[in-house]
Amino acid sequence: MKILVTVSESVDVDDDFEVSEMAIDERYLTYDLNEWDDYAIEEAVQIGEEIDDVEVVTVTIGPERTEEVIRQALAKGADRAVRVWDDALEEASVLDPATKARLVAAVAREEEPDLVLTGVQSGDYSFGATGVALAAEMDYEWAAVVNNLDLDAEAGVASVHRELEGGVEELSDVELPAVLTIQTGINDPRYASLRGIRQAQSKPLDVKTLGDVGVDADDLRLSLSLSSLYEPETEGEATLLEGGPDETAGELAELLRERGVDA
Amino acid sequence: MDYGLTDEQQQIRDEIRRFAENEVAPVASEYDRAEKYPHDVMDEAAKMGLLGANIPVEYGGAGYSTLETALITEELFAVDPGIGLCITSAAFGAEALIGFGTEEQKEEYLEPVARGDAIMGTAISEPDVGSDVSSVATRAEKDGDEWVINGSKMWITNGSVGDYFVVLVQTDPEAAGRYNGFSQIIVEADRDGFTAEKITGKMGIRASDTAELLFDDVRVPEENLVGNRGGGFLQLMQFFDETRTAVAAQGVGIAKGATERALEYAQEREQFGQSISEFQAIQHKLADMHTRTEAARQLTYKSAWSVDEAEDQLTMLASMAKEFASRVAVDVADEAVQIHGGAGFVDDFDVERFYRDAKITQIYEGTTEVQKNIIGRELLGKGTFS
C-alpha cells in the first residue's frame, strides 16, 4: 500500500512586523512545517507501523528552503519525498489551490497511491481547498476535515469521522483510492527521533521541475495574484483579562457595565 | 574552515528545542521546587531517542558525535538545566562501556539505556575525594569469581534513580605508580549491600538526582570489570576531555537561555515611559551577554570538533572551553537577574533558576581551578601525568 502525504511549510509572522511593498520583510517570518500536515504525516506513519508493506511518500510544491520541513517529515518516518519547483512558479506571487492540486496530481498519477492524506489547510493562507481540489483532479473519492480514521486496507475502505460545524460528527465510509484532509487533534504527532533525523539524511528526496511531472510551464493558468498588502488600521482595542473565572467574571461584569452594557 | 552547522545538525537543534519548549519548559519550575526527578519527561525523552544520543546505532542509540551531543546539551540547558541534566546524564558512564566494554556488556547495559528502560551513572568522587581522583579509596577485592566492593561514593548523579553504575575502585593498592591500581566495575543498584541516599538541599539543578552511594560487601561477578584491571584511571582520563566539553556545552546553554530571557524581559518591561531595552545601560549588558555566550560557544564547538578531528589539541581546548563557558554561564545568569530587577529575585521568572543552576558548572567535572592548572601545564609543555 502506498500513502502520499502533502507536506508544506507554513509562514509565521512576528507580532510586530513591517510590510515592504508586496511582502512582509523576511526578518519577521519564521518558516515551519504546516501544523495540519504534521498530523497527516503522523497518521500515515502510524498506518505504516500497523500494517505491513506501507510506503509513505511525501510531496511538496515549494522552493529549496522547504527541504527543511521535508526532512522533518522524513525524520518522523516518511520513506521518501518528492519536491516540485520551477522558475515559472518562483514568479507567481500566490499559488492558488487549483494549481497546487494540478501539480500534486501530476505527481500522484506517477505514484498511484492508494491513499492521499493532506492537511485540512495551511496555517498561513488557510484556503483549505487543495485536498478536495486534488480529489477532483484525480477523480478520487474524498473526505474533508477528518478527525478519526479507521482503515481497512484489505477491503479498501477508510471509515472516517468528519468534524462538521456546530460540533456535529459525520461518519462515512470512503472507498480507496481516496483523498482525506486531516484535522488537527486526530493523533499526537511525534517528535522526530534522533535516529530518525539521522536516517532522514539518506532517504531519497527527488526534485522535479514542471517538465519532469508533465506540466507545461506556459500553461500554468494561475488564477490568483497578490494585488496589495497592507496592515489594517487599528480601530478599537481589546482588553485581556487574565486569571481564573472566579477573578475574571467580576472584572468582565464591571467592564461591561462601564461600557454601558446593562441588563 | 567551515563555521556553519550542517542541515542535519540544525535539524537536531530545532527538534530538541521544540521538545524542550513543549515538554520541559511548562514543568521546569515544578520539578525544581519539589527537587523531584522528572520521570514523565524522561519517558517522553526516551520516545524521541534522546537518552542514547551518543550510544552507537548497533546498540539502539543514535550514534552521534561529541559535537551533536553538545548541540543537544546546549538546547536542553537553554530551557532548563535541571531537567536538561537528567536527560543528558541518563547515559553517564556509557562512554567507558563504549570504549572498553565487552560485546556482552554493551548489549546488556547500553541497549536498555538507549530504549529508556534504564538509567546509568558513573561513580568517581568520594566523601574525601574530589579533584584528586588518584586518591580513590573504595576497594574491590577479588573473591573467587566475584568482586567484593566496600566504600562509599559521593555526589553521584542519578545515584538514587540509576539502575547501574560504572564505579571507580581501587583493585590493586600495592601497584607501583600513583595512577595504577584502579579499575572500573559495573555495579547494579539491586545488588545486596548497595544503598543510595539522595542528597537534598542543592542550590541548583534540583530536578537532577544526586546521591551518596554506600557499598557494604557488595558482590558482583568478575565479568563486571570494564576494560583492564588496574587501567581504570587511564580509561577514565580518556573521557575527561569529552565530559568537560559536555559541561562547557551546559554553560553555553545556560548563558543562551539567560540571555534570551533577559532580552525578552527588557523589551517588555517599561520604566520612565519606555521599554528598558531603550536604555543604553541595558543594551550594553545584553550585547556583552550575547557576545560572551557566542565566544563560549565557539570554544565549546571547537573542543567538541577536536574530539573526533584533532585530538592533539583537545585537552587544553576542553579545559579552556569548560572554564570559560562555566564562567560565562555564571556571569550571564547574574546579569539576566540584574536586568529583571526585583522580578528576577523570585521564582516566577526562569532567570532566578538559571542563576542558581549556573554555579555547578564551575564545580563539577573538574573545578575552575583544576581547569586552569591543566591549561597552565599544557602551556608549559608538561603532560597531565608528569
Side-chain angles (χ1 to χ4, degrees):
Chain A
M1 166 166 212
K2 190 188 276 187
I3 306 176
L4 194 65
V5 185
T6 57
V7 169
S8 58
E9 65 177 9
S10 171
V11 188
D12 237 6
V13 183
D14 290 351
D15 290 345
D16 295 315
F17 61 89
E18 287 166 39
V19 174
S20 52
E21 292 180 31
M22 295 287 272
I24 296 169
D25 196 290
E26 281 283 334
R27 277 180 297 161
Y28 306 105
L29 303 181
T30 315
Y31 297 92
D32 204 352
L33 174 62
N34 178 39
E35 187 185 357
W36 281 265
D37 297 346
D38 200 8
Y39 289 86
I41 294 160
E42 178 65 32
E43 201 60 21
V45 171
Q46 283 188 12
I47 292 169
E49 286 168 347
E50 277 156 29
I51 55 181
D52 294 335
D53 296 327
V54 173
E55 187 186 24
V56 177
V57 183
T58 69
V59 55
T60 300
I61 314 298
E64 194 177 350
R65 188 188 56 228
T66 58
E67 292 194 2
E68 200 176 310
V69 297
I70 296 171
R71 290 281 174 215
Q72 259 177 272
L74 293 171
K76 286 168 185 247
D79 297 296
R80 62 185 173 86
V82 179
R83 177 171 74 82
V84 179
W85 199 241
D86 203 285
D87 292 343
L89 297 171
E90 197 83 57
E91 290 157 19
S93 51
V94 187
L95 271 189
D96 59 275
T99 304
K100 266 198 193 173
R102 270 180 72 206
L103 300 178
V104 175
V107 174
R109 277 187 204 102
E110 241 169 68
E111 296 286 347
E112 298 182 341
D114 302 280
L115 186 62
V116 182
L117 302 182
T118 76
V120 165
Q121 63 188 62
S122 63
D124 42 17
Y125 283 102
S126 304
F127 286 122
T130 308
V132 285
L134 173 65
E137 189 77 35
M138 296 295 293
D139 203 17
Y140 275 14
E141 295 294 311
W142 79 90
V145 202
V146 170
N147 64 3
N148 189 292
L149 167 60
D150 187 8
L151 184 71
D152 186 340
E154 269 178 36
V157 176
S159 301
V160 302
H161 293 206
R162 298 181 54 222
E163 183 184 301
L164 303 184
E165 298 288 325
V168 176
E169 292 233 333
E170 182 189 273
L171 276 53
S172 315
D173 284 348
V174 185
E175 274 186 43
L176 304 190
V179 178
L180 308 178
T181 81
I182 301 297
Q183 177 64 312
T184 55
I186 188 173
N187 52 41
D188 186 11
R190 71 194 64 193
Y191 296 100
S193 71
L194 289 183
R195 278 168 79 97
I197 292 171
R198 183 146 209 189
Q199 288 159 352
Q201 313 308 317
S202 52
K203 287 180 177 175
L205 196 169
D206 293 332
V207 182
K208 301 190 174 198
T209 62
L210 291 179
D212 293 337
V213 295
V215 174
D216 185 351
D218 295 326
D219 184 31
L220 267 178
R221 290 169 296 176
L222 296 170
S223 60
L224 284 179
S225 65
L226 189 64
S227 54
S228 81
L229 189 68
Y230 65 95
E231 195 178 354
E233 287 291 319
T234 309
E235 294 174 348
E237 55 182 54
T239 305
L240 189 67
L241 303 176
E242 286 183 71
D246 45 342
E247 302 164 50
T248 51
E251 290 174 36
L252 178 61
E254 182 65 26
L255 187 76
L256 293 175
R257 258 196 297 277
E258 265 174 35
R259 300 290 161 97
V261 184
D262 224 331
Chain B
M1 195 167 201
D2 189 352
Y3 263 113
L5 297 179
T6 64
D7 289 347
E8 181 175 3
Q9 288 163 344
Q10 288 179 41
Q11 197 180 354
I12 293 170
R13 192 190 57 195
D14 294 346
E15 197 71 5
I16 298 290
R17 190 61 179 234
R18 258 189 288 275
F19 170 86
E21 295 286 358
N22 293 336
E23 310 296 335
V24 178
V27 296
S29 282
E30 177 192 331
Y31 284 105
D32 173 68
R33 283 182 200 140
E35 239 174 313
K36 203 169 75 178
Y37 190 79
H39 288 286
D40 291 350
V41 182
M42 295 301 285
D43 289 345
E44 290 301 316
K47 274 193 227 161
M48 193 180 166
L50 263 182
L51 307 183
N54 64 335
I55 292 176
V57 174
E58 58 267 38
Y59 304 109
Y64 275 125
S65 72
T66 309
L67 182 54
E68 281 90 12
T69 314
L71 293 173
I72 293 168
T73 301
E74 178 183 335
E75 286 312 312
L76 290 170
F77 274 67
V79 172
D80 180 46
I83 296 179
L85 183 61
C86 295
I87 293 170
T88 55
S89 70
F92 266 13
E95 67 284 344
L97 297 177
I98 295 166
F100 302 102
T102 61
E103 190 56 36
E104 291 74 22
Q105 286 173 339
K106 289 176 187 174
E107 283 174 18
E108 187 174 350
Y109 299 108
L110 295 179
E111 288 183 6
V113 173
R115 280 199 306 270
D117 292 338
I119 295 166
M120 279 189 75
T122 182
I124 304 165
S125 296
E126 297 181 1
D128 298 320
V129 182
S131 298
D132 179 13
V133 177
S134 66
S135 56
V136 156
T138 297
R139 183 85 169 86
E141 284 174 282
K142 199 73 182 287
D143 180 25
D145 55 4
E146 288 181 325
W147 291 102
V148 183
I149 302 167
N150 282 288
S152 64
K153 291 286 177 183
M154 196 66 181
W155 310 119
I156 307 308
T157 300
N158 297 331
S160 79
V161 297
D163 297 278
Y164 33 82
F165 302 87
V166 176
V167 184
L168 186 69
V169 292
Q170 204 178 51
T171 44
D172 302 274
E174 65 289 346
R178 194 175 150 203
Y179 303 107
N180 297 321
F182 301 99
S183 302
Q184 290 179 297
I185 295 180
I186 301 163
V187 179
E188 295 88 345
D190 58 2
R191 295 279 175 194
D192 288 340
F194 175 94
T195 46
E197 287 174 7
K198 186 177 169 89
I199 297 167
T200 57
K202 292 204 301 271
M203 176 203 267
I205 53 162
R206 287 161 59 90
S208 171
D209 183 77
T210 310
E212 179 173 9
L213 307 184
L214 304 168
F215 304 86
D216 180 13
D217 280 334
V218 177
R219 288 177 172 268
V220 300
E222 63 181 353
E223 57 264 28
N224 279 24
L225 176 74
V226 180
N228 296 320
R229 176 172 178 166
F233 190 82
L234 290 173
Q235 287 174 197
L236 187 68
M237 281 296 157
Q238 292 217 4
F239 298 106
F240 269 178
D241 295 334
E242 286 172 46
T243 51
R244 281 171 185 155
T245 305
V247 176
Q250 296 176 4
V252 174
I254 292 170
K256 174 181 175 164
T259 304
E260 283 173 354
R261 281 153 182 79
L263 182 61
E264 195 183 327
Y265 186 80
Q267 292 175 89
E268 278 172 12
R269 172 74 171 169
E270 292 191 357
Q271 284 292 280
F272 305 103
Q274 58 182 335
S275 121
I276 62 168
S277 64
E278 299 294 323
F279 294 111
Q280 204 172 44
I282 301 293
Q283 286 176 11
H284 282 192
K285 279 187 195 296
L286 291 168
D288 192 41
M289 291 157 76
H290 191 75
T291 305
R292 294 187 69 202
T293 304
E294 181 64 21
R297 178 180 292 119
Q298 293 310 323
L299 207 44
T300 303
Y301 288 2
K302 188 170 179 188
S303 177
W305 175 84
S306 301
V307 171
D308 294 321
E309 306 290 339
E311 220 181 316
D312 55 324
Q313 63 182 22
L314 175 60
T315 296
M316 183 145 88
L317 265 175
S319 286
M320 282 159 53
K322 198 272 185 188
E323 193 283 313
F324 185 70
S326 60
R327 180 152 46 100
V328 168
V330 168
D331 293 349
V332 167
D334 183 21
E335 286 289 56
V337 171
Q338 191 67 22
I339 288 171
H340 278 68
F345 199 65
V346 287
D347 68 358
D348 295 350
F349 284 89
D350 289 346
V351 289
E352 182 267 350
R353 197 174 68 244
F354 277 90
Y355 183 79
R356 290 185 284 106
D357 288 341
K359 187 61 200 174
I360 190 63
T361 60
Q362 290 192 305
I363 299 171
Y364 59 21
E365 294 296 331
T367 60
T368 289
E369 293 71 20
V370 165
Q371 305 311 327
K372 287 186 179 174
N373 289 350
I374 294 168
I375 298 164
R377 262 198 313 245
E378 293 282 321
L379 269 178
L380 295 166
K382 299 176 184 171
T384 311
F385 301 115
S386 62

